[in-house]
Amino acid sequence: MMLRTLAALVLSVSQVSAQDLDKVTIAGWSKPISEITNILAEPDKGFFKAHGIELGYVPGTGGGSAITNMLSGAADVAFTDPASLYQALDQGADLVAIYNIYPQNVFNVVAPVGRGIETAADLKGKTIGVYSLNSGTRQNLLFLLHQVGLTEQDVTIQVTGLLNFGPVIQGQVDATAATDTGLYIGRLNGLGEVNVINVADSLNVPTDVFVVTRAYYEANKPILRRFLQAYRDSAQWMIDNPQEAAQIAVTRSINGRDEAVNLGIIDLRNLSAQSETTRAKGLGHFDVDVLQEGADAFLAQGLISSALDMRRVIVTDLIPE
């Protein structure tokens, strides 16, 4: 009788615990790929559940689509790039950035040697691939173009899809706008010798940040604080245990069948998650001046039409100590 009573009590407690979880859905910039294994590992590791969060994930086709999905109500938090954030703010969206996911800018433009492309100015008249028209690859490409006096009308932009270096290898495009992980996979697939224009050399704004509407932030601070604690725990786990993450990615990601490739991607993403600021203050902290510099640069180049005060947009009270 005592054992049955105890079993019933345990069952009751587990049911209440499940009911007490607060649902938070991330609008991602991508499908479930290996570089976000720390999120995909939730069924295995339970980082979010441990903080009372039921995690949801809505895939996207770039940082712009992540913000769109969040604003439509399909998700609560957008996993997006600063360029997409700048443009959404410029269009009147009342948003706040709550966590610096990847402080290092990993966007680039890659061109095989022999295509006559060594600098951004050489892109004039060329065909350039991007992940999608809503992606940070396009936004960062536009930044590079405007910096050298070119516009989107001076090039031909072609959507080639996520991590797809096939078109540039086959000569269907002259160059492709990508990220460090895309370049890594491209090299494994026969890309050969290339010239790489790294956006960070011009503007090292973060690659991605977590963004929510100001209204959601004001109404859900306790939940968001637990969500960020859970995310921080997951990010630290992946930094400390890249091999385990690479193994989990085999079954949890759509592109992670090769554990060794997973490890290479995860190592790159772990590097981008850290900076001098995060090493001093902890994962997730912002360098506000850098994001302000980015907003000012986008305004100066005509990529947005209004001045942005990023000190009003960036909030740090929820970031775990």
Side-chain angles (χ1 to χ4, degrees):
M1 175 65 75
M2 183 177 294
L3 287 177
R4 284 200 297 271
T5 302
L6 180 59
L9 178 61
V10 170
L11 179 60
S12 175
V13 170
S14 66
Q15 288 173 338
V16 171
S17 297
Q19 292 170 355
D20 286 347
L21 294 178
D22 292 304
K23 181 71 175 285
V24 178
T25 299
I26 298 172
W29 68 266
S30 71
K31 294 180 180 179
I33 57 177
S34 54
E35 63 185 73
I36 59 167
T37 295
N38 60 307
I39 293 174
L40 305 182
E42 176 61 11
D44 307 282
K45 306 300 293 186
F47 297 113
F48 292 85
K49 187 177 181 180
H51 289 283
I53 300 295
E54 178 187 350
L55 183 66
Y57 186 82
V58 175
T61 56
S65 73
I67 290 179
T68 298
N69 284 335
M70 179 190 67
L71 291 176
S72 72
D76 306 300
V77 181
F79 191 131
T80 190
D81 60 281
S84 297
L85 172 60
Y86 296 151
Q87 293 202 330
L89 292 167
D90 188 45
Q91 293 165 10
D94 193 7
L95 307 174
V96 293
I98 60 173
Y99 187 96
N100 194 358
I101 303 171
Y102 305 134
Q104 308 292 346
N105 192 332
V106 302
F107 289 103
N108 54 40
V109 174
V110 179
V113 170
R115 301 276 174 90
I117 301 172
E118 296 183 3
T119 69
D122 298 328
L123 294 170
K124 185 175 182 179
K126 304 294 187 179
T127 299
I128 309 160
V130 296
Y131 289 172
S132 80
L133 297 180
N134 287 319
S135 71
T137 55
R138 176 173 173 263
Q139 304 300 342
N140 280 269
L141 168 62
L142 294 181
F143 172 80
L144 288 176
L145 293 174
H146 280 250
Q147 194 177 41
V148 294
L150 301 177
T151 70
E152 195 166 4
Q153 285 66 47
D154 293 308
V155 301
T156 299
I157 292 180
Q158 182 172 317
V159 175
T160 54
L162 177 64
L163 306 179
N164 185 3
F165 270 78
V168 77
I169 292 172
Q170 297 160 13
Q172 297 169 1
V173 297
D174 300 302
T176 195
T179 64
D180 56 347
T181 53
L183 176 58
Y184 171 76
I185 293 172
R187 282 175 163 151
L188 292 178
N189 291 327
L191 181 59
E193 190 177 0
V194 292
N195 291 319
V196 181
I197 306 169
N198 289 304
V199 181
D201 293 338
S202 304
L203 187 67
N204 194 22
V205 294
T207 295
D208 287 297
V209 297
F210 278 136
V211 170
V212 297
T213 65
R214 191 175 299 275
Y216 186 85
Y217 161 74
E218 295 290 355
N220 295 279
K221 287 186 180 183
I223 294 174
L224 282 173
R225 186 172 285 110
R226 287 187 280 116
F227 167 79
L228 293 183
Q229 288 173 341
Y231 183 83
R232 187 270 320 269
D233 291 348
S234 75
Q236 189 64 58
W237 162 77
M238 194 161 80
I239 291 170
D240 295 339
N241 303 278
Q243 191 70 60
E244 182 186 4
Q247 293 169 354
I248 289 176
V250 171
T251 56
R252 295 298 180 187
S253 69
I254 63 169
N255 66 328
R257 298 300 170 261
D258 188 319
E259 187 176 319
V261 174
N262 293 344
L263 183 59
I265 291 171
I266 286 167
D267 284 342
L268 287 170
R269 201 44 68 243
N270 285 341
L271 286 174
S272 68
Q274 302 172 76
S275 67
E276 288 185 15
T277 298
T278 67
R279 281 187 282 273
K281 297 182 178 180
L283 292 177
H285 279 273
F286 292 95
D287 187 331
V288 180
D289 290 339
V290 169
L291 280 157
Q292 185 63 56
E293 180 185 349
D296 294 343
F298 270 61
L299 177 63
Q301 295 183 19
L303 292 169
I304 56 176
S305 59
S306 55
L308 302 175
D309 182 2
M310 296 307 293
R311 287 163 184 78
R312 181 176 180 273
V313 174
I314 296 168
V315 295
T316 61
D317 59 318
L318 305 182
I319 300 174
E321 294 299 327

